[in-house]
Each structure stands twice: as structure tokens, then as C-alpha cells.
Amino acid sequence: LADILNELSIDYDKDDNLIIKREIYANGKSICKVNSDIVSLADLNKIGDLIGDIHCQEDTFGLINPKNYLNFIVDEKIDALRSEYSLLLKEYKDVLSEYNNKVKENNEIKEKADFLKYQYNELKLAKLSVSEENDLKEQEHYLANYNSVLENISNFKSIYDDKNALDLIYESLSYLNKLKEYDKKYEELYNNLEEAYYNIEEITNNSLFKESNLEIDPHQLEDVQNRLGIYSDIRRKYKKTTSELVEYFEKLKEDLNLIDNFDDILKDIKIKLDNLYQKTYAKAIELRNERIKYAKILEKDIISNLEDLDLKNTNFKIEFNEIDENNISFNKDGIDVIDFKVSFNKGELLKPLSKVASGGELSRFMLALKTVMG
């Protein structure tokens, strides 16, 4: 409050009263003052929020719904525990969701396990490989054009065998050799031609042109095409490319591994889930115990305030739900469900506040509650 007053340059004495005034005129205009200094309505609201609480009739609606009651049982320690509980609850729910999804996934896979095993065995037997398929296509192209390959090799060899091309090149080297003795300018030409000669000689003697290497198995093309036919049939059957089939095979392996090792996988998740359950439950109990402590203080303080509000025979009790350890329900605020039980006359049984209190009693109860919490 002092910060706001200083910000607005309002003179005040810490030990004196603060005078707030608003004059509303018949024409609708108004003037707001704090200690005789004129301020805006927005600034007046800032100050008012810090020094008072305007109670409206609608405020008592919160007392009619027990779902709101936990919001009144709070202090710094309870608020910190509730935050810790919320983090544990989120982690627990995440693992619970993972556990349920694994169970569902396993059930779905088990229903089609035989079919998956059939597909896995079929693809395993096929031994598909993108690189092998590419190699087969190259082989097929070569073998399908084998006659043309032989013709071109024959023509190539005839140039050097029949026409003595290498001998002519070698003979031309002797002339360049003599020329370079007369002029160094011919030396580079000689070196280049000599290198070319030996390169050509190496090429013509390459094993690729030997007749023994040119012979092929007459069934080789058929074998390659049969193997490519397997690729084509499986692609058509599965409606996938070869690379997609390879990926699908790995996915099948994972799914079948999940089925085979599901009990161990589920056991590990269940251990983690049970551990988080115990931690979340322990934190919820810790939160509950702090609420019970605070509730006892709140009961006494509210009864005391209600006496000042001329409700001298009031008996008030904050009632917590019973805990069944075999049937715990984690809610966002813990495991607690509470009700405000009250009687306003001597000898009456405690009953839910929302059902027995009159409008006036509800208003005074809310005033007492706000006074205590304020």
C-alpha cells in the first residue's frame, strides 16, 4: 500500500487514518480522493483492493458447492505440498498412460501375431536389399545386351590386333625421340605420347577383353531375372517400394520381439508405475495431514468470528472423507473430499452448511471465513 501511495505522490502518516472518498453527482460524474488528493477510479481500485474486500451476495454461492471447500484449506506449506503432489501426479499419469498403451498395443499385435510371423518369415526368406536390387538391374542390363557387348569388344580389339595400332604408335615414338634431340620443344610431346602408349597397352591387355572372361552361363540372365521377379512380386503384394519393405521387415522384427518379451517390458513399466503410485499416495497423505491440522485451526477461528457476528451457539466441523487404501482416487488437488458441517443452535446435529444455512447465516459465515483467511 505504501508503494502505491508513494507512486501516486499522496501524503500520508503511517500512524494516521487513510481517508478514501468518492463523490458521485447526479449527472453521473464522480471525484475520487485519498487524503484530499484527487486520484483516478483505477488508482482508487488499486488501493481499495489492498485494504478491504467488498462482499457481494454472489460470493456465498461458493459455500453452496463443497467442491470449492479445499480452496479455503490452504497456507504456504499446503500450497507447496499441493505443487509437489501435482508434479508426482502428472508423472504417475504419464507412466500409467504408457502402461495402458503398451497393454493395448500388445493385445492388438497378438490378435494378428500369426499373420505378422507369416510376413516376417516371407520377407526374411526373400532377403531383400536395395543395393542387391540395383546390382541385379545392372547385371540384367549387361546380360540382356550381351551380343552387343561382344560385338563392341571384338571391334575394339580388332583395331589394335588387326590394324597394328600400337605398333604404329610405338613407331611414331621413335621419330619424336629423334626430334627432341634437336629441339627440347618436342620432349613434352614425346612424354605425353609415351604415357598414352603404355596406357593403351595396359587397356588392351586388360582381363576384361580375354575370351575366358567373356564367357557367361547361358542361364545367368534367367537367374537374375528370376531374382528380380521376386522383388517385383513382393513389391506388388505389399504395395511398398523395396526400401519401404526393408523398413517394414525391421518393424515386424520389433513387433514380434515385443510379443516375445512383452511380459518383461510390462513388468519393468509396472515396477516404475507402482513406485510412482506409492510416492504420489505418500505425498497425498502428507498433504491431507497438513490440511487436517489447518482445518482444526480454521474451525476454531471461524466459530470465534461467528460469535462476534451474533451466532453464539454455532458448532462448526470440517469433515474429511474416509480413505480406502484399496480404492484410491487421485484428483488434481489430492485424495481429499471435504464438507463443511454446521449447526447454528444448541442440541442440533451437524449438517452440511449448503443445506441448513439461511441467506443471512451464509453471508455471516462467508464474512467470518474471509476474515480468517484475510
Side-chain angles (χ1 to χ4, degrees):
L1 180 60
D3 290 340
I4 293 178
L5 294 174
N6 289 331
E7 184 184 330
L8 298 174
S9 301
I10 294 174
D11 292 328
Y12 68 95
D13 187 337
K14 286 187 290 185
D15 299 324
D16 200 0
N17 292 327
L18 191 68
I19 301 172
I20 293 178
K21 183 177 182 180
R22 185 181 180 193
E23 296 176 354
I24 303 176
Y25 299 100
N27 61 7
K29 293 183 179 180
S30 66
I31 295 178
C32 302
K33 294 182 180 179
V34 178
N35 284 358
S36 301
D37 290 309
I38 296 177
V39 298
S40 68
L41 181 58
D43 291 333
L44 186 66
N45 285 333
K46 284 183 185 177
I47 295 169
D49 286 342
L50 294 172
I51 61 175
D53 179 55
I54 304 301
H55 177 73
C56 304
Q57 192 173 15
E58 308 89 63
D59 290 351
T60 57
F61 293 163
L63 292 178
I64 298 174
N65 189 350
K67 290 181 179 179
N68 296 324
Y69 291 169
L70 281 178
N71 295 327
F72 300 125
I73 316 297
V74 63
D75 60 11
E76 287 186 9
K77 187 170 183 179
I78 291 172
D79 197 41
L81 285 171
R82 187 165 57 183
S83 296
E84 293 170 13
Y85 165 82
S86 295
L87 291 174
L88 283 170
L89 180 62
K90 182 183 182 304
E91 192 175 356
Y92 169 73
K93 285 185 174 180
D94 288 344
V95 176
L96 178 62
S97 177
E98 180 187 2
Y99 178 81
N100 291 334
N101 288 337
K102 282 294 182 188
V103 172
K104 181 181 177 182
E105 182 182 354
N106 184 66
N107 290 337
E108 290 174 350
I109 292 175
K110 277 184 175 179
E111 289 178 1
K112 50 183 180 180
D114 291 340
F115 179 63
L116 295 179
K117 286 178 181 177
Y118 166 78
Q119 289 188 324
Y120 173 79
N121 290 329
E122 183 177 47
L123 293 176
K124 184 179 180 181
L125 186 64
K127 296 180 181 178
L128 303 183
S129 162
V130 174
S131 60
E132 187 206 26
E133 185 181 29
N134 291 334
D135 289 342
L136 288 169
K137 287 178 179 178
E138 290 181 6
Q139 289 182 49
E140 182 189 35
H141 181 68
Y142 174 82
L143 295 170
N145 295 280
Y146 185 64
N147 290 332
S148 179
V149 170
L150 289 178
E151 182 182 349
N152 281 281
I153 288 176
S154 176
N155 292 336
F156 174 83
K157 290 180 68 178
S158 68
I159 291 175
Y160 295 95
D161 293 343
D162 301 341
K163 300 179 181 179
N164 301 318
L166 268 177
D167 292 340
L168 293 174
I169 295 173
Y170 187 78
E171 184 180 346
S172 66
L173 275 172
S174 64
Y175 296 116
L176 283 176
N177 188 39
K178 291 178 180 178
L179 285 171
K180 73 176 184 176
E181 293 178 4
Y182 304 120
D183 192 336
K184 294 291 185 183
K185 288 185 293 184
Y186 294 99
E187 185 171 3
E188 184 178 355
L189 295 176
Y190 173 84
N191 292 335
N192 290 341
L193 185 59
E194 182 182 42
E195 182 180 359
Y197 171 81
Y198 288 114
N199 285 336
I200 294 171
E201 184 181 41
E202 183 178 353
I203 291 171
T204 56
N205 292 325
N206 193 286
S207 60
L208 288 174
F209 301 116
K210 290 183 179 179
E211 290 187 8
S212 59
N213 291 329
L214 295 175
E215 296 177 0
I216 63 169
D217 185 339
H219 301 294
Q220 189 174 352
L221 177 60
E222 182 181 354
D223 292 341
V224 169
Q225 289 176 335
N226 287 339
R227 179 63 179 155
L228 283 172
I230 293 174
Y231 276 86
S232 178
D233 291 343
I234 293 181
R235 282 201 311 271
R236 185 166 54 253
K237 180 177 180 178
Y238 286 83
K239 294 182 173 59
K240 296 178 185 294
T241 64
T242 301
S243 60
E244 288 172 342
L245 284 167
V246 172
E247 291 177 8
Y248 183 59
F249 175 71
E250 292 302 320
K251 177 67 167 56
L252 286 172
K253 189 188 296 184
E254 291 176 11
D255 289 344
L256 292 172
N257 180 64
L258 177 63
I259 294 174
D260 293 338
N261 300 285
F262 177 74
D263 290 341
D264 292 335
I265 295 171
L266 198 62
K267 183 180 178 181
D268 291 340
I269 300 176
K270 187 66 167 61
I271 291 172
K272 185 178 179 181
L273 182 65
D274 290 343
N275 185 42
L276 279 169
Y277 176 91
Q278 293 300 328
K279 286 184 177 180
T280 306
Y281 177 67
K283 187 61 67 175
I285 291 295
E286 188 179 356
L287 176 58
R288 178 186 177 86
N289 291 336
E290 284 301 318
R291 281 173 172 158
I292 290 173
K293 288 181 190 177
Y294 184 84
K296 293 185 182 302
I297 298 171
L298 189 62
E299 289 169 355
K300 293 178 181 178
D301 289 345
I302 286 180
I303 289 173
S304 175
N305 276 274
L306 287 174
E307 287 177 356
D308 293 339
L309 296 170
D310 205 25
L311 292 173
K312 301 183 183 299
N313 297 316
T314 302
N315 187 14
F316 172 55
K317 178 76 173 176
I318 299 175
E319 188 176 273
F320 282 74
N321 60 314
E322 294 291 333
I323 297 295
D324 180 2
E325 293 186 9
N326 297 318
N327 187 24
I328 297 297
S329 177
F330 292 129
N331 299 313
K332 65 182 182 68
D333 291 316
I335 57 174
D336 302 323
V337 178
I338 66 171
D339 198 3
F340 286 177
K341 295 290 186 71
V342 65
S343 69
F344 292 104
N345 300 301
K346 283 184 178 181
E348 286 185 351
L349 294 175
L350 289 168
K351 293 182 180 179
L353 174 68
S354 59
K355 295 180 179 178
V356 299
S358 65
E361 288 167 341
L362 279 175
S363 294
R364 279 180 278 181
F365 192 95
M366 178 62 84
L367 177 56
L369 183 61
K370 284 190 172 185
T371 300
V372 172
M373 295 191 70

